[in-house]
Every structure is written in C-alpha cells, then in structure tokens.
Amino acid sequence: MSEAFTLQVNGEERTCSPHTSLPTFLEQLGLNPRLVAVEYNGEILHRQFWEETEIKAGDRLEIVTIVGGG
C-alpha cells in the first residue's frame, strides 16, 4: 500500500493518497467541484481534464470558490 504524500493547496501543505483524481480530492477538502476554479501547477485547468488528472506529490493547487450574488 502506498503512502500519502504532500502537496500545496492555496499555499498550505495538505496530504493526499496516491491515485486520487482532482474531483475526489476537492470533495475530500469539503468543496463542491462544480463551484470552484482550479489552477494546477501554475495553469488554469479546464474542467474537461479534471477526471483524468491525478494529484501527485509536490503539486501546487490554487482553488477559488465561485460566489454568486450582486
């Protein structure tokens, strides 16, 4: 069994299990994947690629929550 690893999420260190997809990781953080935008290692990651993106050791994520209102 593989060990959990660390990555940066909004400047904070977090841990993740191997072979975790981006949407699963977002849910583990308590976020609704439909209501966030994600910068993955310095680039905006389009939603169509989220399911095939596995979180890896040393990744850097910036996650922005979409807020409605006026």
Side-chain angles (χ1 to χ4, degrees), residues 29-40:
L29 293 175
L31 299 170
N32 181 340
R34 294 176 3 161
L35 301 176
V36 298
V38 177
E39 183 183 277
Y40 181 76

Side-chain angles (χ1 to χ4, degrees), residues 6-53:
T6 61
L7 67 148
Q8 292 287 316
V9 178
N10 292 350
E12 296 182 11
E13 194 170 276
R14 299 288 183 134
T15 59
C16 183
S17 300
H19 310 293
T20 301
S21 70
L22 178 58
T24 299
F25 183 68
L26 293 172
E27 289 171 358
Q28 290 171 357
L29 293 175
L31 299 170
N32 181 340
R34 294 176 3 161
L35 301 176
V36 298
V38 177
E39 183 183 277
Y40 181 76
N41 294 329
E43 305 218 0
I44 298 295
L45 185 63
H46 294 280
R47 199 171 297 274
Q48 68 190 30
F49 301 114
W50 286 17
E51 280 296 333
E52 64 193 52
T53 301

Side-chain angles (χ1 to χ4, degrees), residues 51-62:
E51 280 296 333
E52 64 193 52
T53 301
E54 280 190 6
I55 304 300
K56 295 181 178 48
D59 280 348
R60 293 180 337 272
L61 301 179
E62 291 294 327

